[in-house]
Amino acid sequence: MSRQSIGETLAARLYAAETAIDLALIETAMLAAMLPAARADAYLSAVTGQRAFDGAAGSLSALSAARSQMVQTHTALAAIARKLGLDALAVGPVDKPGDTPPVGGGGGDGPGVRPDMVNETLRDTVNKILPKEAGLC
């Protein structure tokens, strides 16, 4: 298995994990938004359901922290890919900060970091097939 194919597999798993966290955030935020309306529509006291609202709000906070950790993971994996000279491993939406114009249909964020900076490869490097039993770095 080549480093490129390993990187592509990791990129796909990373994208799936990022998407799962985003979907969980969306669903949890929708639940948290509905709770006060549901309480009011049922003519219940503000005290009723406060624990449920606190739980949903706490879940949002935890999911936000998980998303932040996943972004750090993404950044670390992108740095490793650059060091190994891997080609760009774009999976899913490819807009990154600094993409002007956006390249993947998203918004970009105007001037700033070069769009190709994250997936910039080192020159004069070759992707090699790894031995079946590679030693630890």
Side-chain angles (χ1 to χ4, degrees), residues 11-27 67 70 74 91-93:
R13 291 294 92 219
L14 175 65
Y15 175 65
E18 290 171 337
T19 301
I21 292 171
D22 283 347
L23 290 174
L25 270 166
I26 291 166
E27 291 299 325
R67 189 177 192 284
M70 193 56 62
H74 189 130
V91 176

Side-chain angles (χ1 to χ4, degrees), residues 83-125:
K83 283 183 181 180
L84 295 175
L86 299 178
D87 294 334
L89 301 175
V91 176
V94 293
D95 289 337
K96 302 289 183 225
D99 285 356
T100 304
V103 295
D109 72 346
V113 181
R114 289 189 340 264
D116 62 343
M117 187 171 173
V118 171
N119 290 320
E120 188 173 301
T121 58
L122 300 174
R123 306 295 179 244
D124 301 319
T125 56

